[in-house]
Amino acid sequence: MTQVDHSRMANAIRGLAMDAVEKAKSGHPGLPMGAADIATVLFTQFLKYDALAPAWPDRDRFVLSAGHGSMLLYALLYLTGNPDMTLEQIKQFRQLGSLTPGHPENFHTSGVETTTGPLGQGIATSVGMALAEKMLAAEFGKKIVDHHTYVLASDGDLMEGVSQEAIAMAGHWKLNKLIVLYDDNGITIDGPLSIADSVDQVKRFKSAGWAAELIDGQDQAAIAAAIARAQKSSKPSLIACRTTIGFGAPHKAGTAKAHGEALGADELKAAKDKLGISQEAFSVPDDVVKAWREAGHRGAAARKEWDARFAELGPRKRAEFERRLRHERPVSLAKALKAHKKALLETPMTAATRKSSEAAIEVIAAAMPFEFLAGSADLTGSNNNKAKSAEAFSAKTPKGRFIHYGIREHGMAAAMNGIFLHGGFAPNGATFLVFTDYARPAMRLAALMGTGVVYVMTHDSIGLGEDGPTHQPVEHLAALRAIPNMRVLRPCDAIEVAECWELALNRIDGPTVLVLTRQNLPQLRTTAPDANPCSHGGYELVAAQGEAKVSLFASGSEVEVAVAAQKQLAERGISTRVVSVPSLELLLAQPADRRQAIIGQAPIKIAIEAAVRWGWDALIGTDGDFIGMHSFGASAPAKELYKKFGITAEAVVTAAMKRV
Ligand SMILES: Cc1ncc(C[n+]2csc(CCOP(=O)(O)OP(=O)(O)O)c2C)c(N)n1
């Protein structure tokens, strides 16, 4: 091993961070400079990784929760020898197309485990990673799955509410291989942390069931000793590392001025002099680079040993492990769902879609019992997403495949991202649709990162009835549809539910919201072709007699309304068709000819959905009729609410007749 003073190795990170931010004229030098010692200790002595194989399954995960300090991570990737992260990329920090965007993006840069930037998300996501590790280890054994999840979190991460949900879960589940290094520098953008916060983080974490201690985060020996203690703990660990933001900058260190802007030429020069590093931009001494590269390849032996152990597994188990990590579904899934649909055609099911979803889940969980990982934010009996066979997961039952997330919708959604990114599981999490508001930041990140998670969102409209307007979503469908790469599926009956589950589970490059009812719905479908009709977002459910004068478009529970209206219109001699639209955005995204064929030529277009109109104009035009919600709902039985808000077949008929 090349012997290089570790402070010189840390200074290499500082120098690169200062130079990159200076060149970009934007970015955050303070965190990388302050946390460089923590990162150096972690990456040279503890983190199990091989820079040449950033996706090796049994690597330790490192999550830079404070994503604004991205230059810390980029410097580490470059120094340790990640093949993609060249010095040129560091020089292109924050520029279009570079591998060094403002905040780390896992879908863009290899070696980045998860996208961070929105504070609190990284630490919450890491809980899902550590959870997945524990579950997968219980299933495949410690010889195959045995790694830590390390997090570097900032004041901002710990102030965000989601961090409380996350640490409570991690403590409760005793995720002892989760180690959070807290960059405890007491500075945020507005100034000293003390202007807005006086929480004792060590006590806070301890009360959530963590091991927690405070150390000098600029003392490499102290950092190493603390990480070694944390590795032995039976609890997750917080190491509060007291650091100085912008360490080394003579005037700006320890102040908010070091947080988020270039140091400026004079301060940069003075900082380099003070730290004893070359004034030449982006230059790192050869011996320091060499020492870092050796650190980057430290894990190569461990990886080879893992390869050998993996090769000893039977071929079936190996194939299963690899399939699971690829997020590929077992062949048995399609067969099982096909049989389920056939059974439904023979014995139609009149039920709430949350109940027909439960029936589909029984079939799915039987086909993929170890990877189908459901959970609910304390609404298990209402969301109906627990398979009968699924045991509850707990610290003592890591093979359990149902997670009681508690009343922590945001923490649940963030953990699901971590579970998916870790690999090995198809997570779905449930609550009421209205409470996607509480999970939205993590759902948005899921869409950005392209995690194939599934949200089971029940009680999807005024149809939930008596709980009233606080619980009745009206704007949520539109809001979720507005998120790029989010897929919203609102099935109308038991067959569509099965089809939508199939689409959701096979979607591994983005999240899916399954939107389900509390109230009963009839089974409208009489066929279940292999080519999943829901896959185009919409399809003609009821054809018109002759040339259609009216097209009725509806999703979920309102397809029943459309079908009833179609009959009444037909009786009046108005030829009408019904298009079921389980996914408006998927339909709108179809190639023009297919989209046009589904939308059809009928001059009168009416959309029906118990929600606000936003989005539907793209389908029916601004002059189309919309039967739906224009306000919040109210507390009453569902049937009365549909009448009160005018979402009825009669209202549809009246609207159509006005136009004929
Ligand atoms: C959810 C969220 N809110 C606000 C921001 C904007 N922001 C970026 S860093 C930061 C706080 C900086 O303080 P700290 O977390 O202590 O980081 P440090 O100053 O130590 O770099 C804020 C408010 C953000 N990135 N995410």
Side-chain angles (χ1 to χ4, degrees):
M1 286 285 284
T2 310
Q3 288 301 321
V4 166
D5 187 317
H6 272 197
S7 63
R8 290 180 65 221
M9 293 179 80
N11 283 342
I13 297 173
R14 294 187 174 106
L16 289 172
M18 283 190 279
D19 286 337
V21 173
E22 202 67 25
K23 178 158 192 272
K25 297 192 179 66
S26 77
H28 302 76
L31 184 145
M33 294 173 78
D37 290 306
I38 304 170
T40 301
V41 172
L42 182 64
F43 275 68
T44 59
Q45 298 177 51
F46 293 96
L47 197 75
K48 180 173 77 169
Y49 68 109
D50 180 351
L52 294 178
W56 164 39
D58 201 33
R59 69 190 180 282
D60 285 344
R61 283 13 179 211
F62 172 70
V63 173
L64 178 65
S65 191
H68 61 275
S70 57
M71 258 316 298
L72 178 81
L73 185 49
Y74 302 148
L76 287 163
L77 291 174
Y78 162 66
L79 290 167
T80 55
N82 175 297
D84 297 336
M85 191 55 73
T86 59
L87 195 58
E88 191 49 36
Q89 293 294 341
I90 302 283
K91 291 178 184 170
Q92 292 302 311
F93 181 50
R94 291 183 155 236
Q95 304 310 306
L96 190 66
S98 75
L99 296 177
T100 48
H103 294 82
E105 297 167 4
N106 66 309
F107 50 92
H108 188 69
T109 307
S110 86
V112 175
E113 299 286 1
T114 181
T115 294
T116 52
L119 290 163
Q121 290 299 323
I123 184 169
T125 303
S126 72
V127 170
M129 293 180 182
L131 174 68
E133 194 271 350
K134 190 179 180 89
M135 291 183 139
L136 211 58
E139 191 186 338
F140 285 88
K142 289 214 167 286
K143 284 188 175 170
I144 302 302
V145 183
D146 186 11
H147 51 265
H148 284 88
T149 303
Y150 294 96
V151 181
L152 186 75
S154 67
D155 297 312
D157 284 306
L158 300 194
M159 287 170 88
E160 288 294 348
V162 69
S163 71
Q164 183 58 30
E165 300 182 20
I167 70 170
M169 293 192 284
H172 183 67
W173 295 330
K174 297 191 170 49
L175 300 179
N176 62 313
K177 289 160 91 179
L178 177 63
I179 298 176
V180 174
L181 298 146
Y182 162 36
D183 181 33
D184 182 6
N185 61 24
I187 293 289
T188 66
I189 292 177
D190 281 0
L193 180 67
S194 57
I195 64 174
D197 194 61
S198 48
V199 171
D200 181 331
Q201 296 293 355
V202 169
K203 280 193 188 151
R204 174 192 177 206
F205 276 74
K206 278 187 177 164
S207 78
W210 287 54
E213 64 173 312
L214 173 65
I215 62 157
D216 178 350
Q218 241 72 73
D219 175 344
Q220 296 202 1
I223 298 163
I227 297 176
R229 279 192 293 278
Q231 285 188 337
K232 292 201 191 84
S233 173
S234 57
K235 301 170 177 178
S237 295
L238 173 83
I239 305 171
C241 306
R242 204 32 75 76
T243 59
T244 301
I245 191 168
F247 182 93
H251 306 102
K252 295 190 173 175
T255 75
K257 285 201 161 63
H259 162 84
E261 61 191 19
L263 292 179
D266 294 345
E267 183 77 353
L268 177 94
K269 185 170 178 302
K272 285 187 165 181
D273 280 345
K274 190 166 178 195
L275 293 167
I277 48 184
S278 160
Q279 290 293 342
E280 193 190 328
F282 300 103
S283 85
V284 182
D286 289 347
D287 61 333
V288 175
V289 172
K290 190 154 177 265
W292 266 115
R293 292 287 144 88
E294 283 173 10
H297 303 152
R298 236 180 57 245
R303 180 168 68 83
K304 288 207 181 89
E305 285 160 24
W306 183 87
D307 283 344
R309 288 197 300 278
F310 188 64
E312 280 167 20
L313 286 184
R316 267 196 170 186
K317 208 153 192 194
R318 261 199 330 259
E320 173 73 358
F321 186 81
E322 286 174 335
R323 178 186 69 73
R324 293 266 294 272
L325 288 192
R326 283 197 304 271
H327 294 292
E328 193 179 295
R329 304 305 167 214
V331 194
S332 54
L333 177 67
K335 278 192 201 151
L337 281 170
K338 188 172 173 166
H340 174 62
K341 285 182 272 181
K342 188 159 172 269
L344 284 171
L345 291 177
E346 282 159 11
T347 317
M349 188 175 181
T350 293
T353 47
R354 64 181 170 138
K355 287 299 280 181
S356 45
S357 167
E358 186 176 45
I361 282 173
E362 284 302 331
V363 168
I364 293 163
M368 39 196 283
F370 299 107
E371 66 208 274
F372 186 77
L373 178 55
S376 168
D378 201 48
L379 288 167
T380 305
S382 302
N383 301 139
N384 302 85
N385 69 329
K386 183 178 173 304
K388 284 193 193 74
S389 59
E391 252 192 86
F393 168 84
S394 73
K396 290 209 177 105
T397 53
K399 288 188 177 166
R401 289 294 181 264
F402 190 84
I403 300 178
H404 293 284
Y405 284 104
I407 306 103
R408 302 184 185 107
E409 297 82 8
H410 196 179
M412 170 173 77
M416 282 162 58
N417 282 339
I419 293 167
F420 185 90
L421 291 171
H422 180 279
F425 300 98
N428 71 86
T431 182
F432 292 159
L433 178 62
V434 80
F435 300 134
T436 50
D437 285 345
Y438 278 61
R440 186 87 50 87
M443 295 176 77
R444 181 177 191 272
L445 266 196
L448 175 62
M449 292 193 280
T451 57
V453 300
V454 181
Y455 311 105
V456 177
M457 295 295 157
T458 67
H459 297 61
D460 69 347
S461 73
I462 53 165
L464 66 84
E466 295 83 344
D467 271 347
T470 57
H471 283 47
Q472 293 160 354
V474 288
E475 76 280 26
H476 296 74
L477 290 172
L480 293 167
R481 284 171 184 151
I483 302 175
N485 200 35
M486 179 69 72
R487 183 161 300 162
V488 181
L489 298 176
R490 189 168 184 248
C492 73
D493 75 354
I495 298 278
E496 277 197 6
V497 163
E499 290 173 346
C500 289
W501 260 113
E502 189 159 24
L503 291 176
L505 288 169
N506 285 309
R507 181 159 201 251
I508 62 170
D509 58 359
T512 301
V513 193
L514 285 178
V515 179
L516 306 172
T517 67
R518 173 179 182 242
Q519 75 274 28
N520 281 347
L521 300 177
Q523 188 171 309
L524 298 169
R525 284 276 292 279
T526 51
T527 61
D530 283 346
N532 185 337
C534 290
S535 64
H536 297 150
Y539 61 93
E540 189 173 84
L541 176 70
V542 182
Q545 299 282 340
E547 198 175 321
K549 280 211 177 67
V550 180
S551 279
L552 302 178
F553 303 91
S555 82
S557 40
E558 286 68 68
V559 180
E560 180 188 10
V561 176
V563 169
Q566 191 273 347
K567 279 204 192 96
Q568 293 183 24
L569 285 166
E571 280 162 17
R572 297 180 185 209
I574 317 281
S575 82
T576 303
R577 59 197 279 273
V578 175
V579 178
S580 176
V581 187
S583 178
L584 178 60
E585 71 279 14
L586 190 53
L587 172 54
L588 294 174
Q590 296 302 307
D593 51 344
R594 183 187 289 145
R595 186 175 66 231
Q596 211 38 62
I598 298 169
I599 293 173
Q601 304 296 335
I604 301 169
K605 296 194 189 75
I606 302 176
I608 313 147
E609 185 168 69
V612 297
R613 179 174 178 141
W614 281 96
W616 283 97
D617 285 12
L619 202 151
I620 57 172
T622 49
D623 56 345
D625 274 305
F626 180 75
I627 305 288
M629 295 297 290
H630 305 276
S631 67
F632 290 117
S635 171
K639 282 215 169 78
E640 282 181 41
L641 291 175
Y642 271 85
K643 270 194 216 125
K644 172 177 165 47
F645 290 104
I647 306 176
T648 60
E650 291 67 36
V652 177
V653 171
T654 306
M657 294 309 290
K658 272 195 200 150
R659 301 248 182 181
V660 173

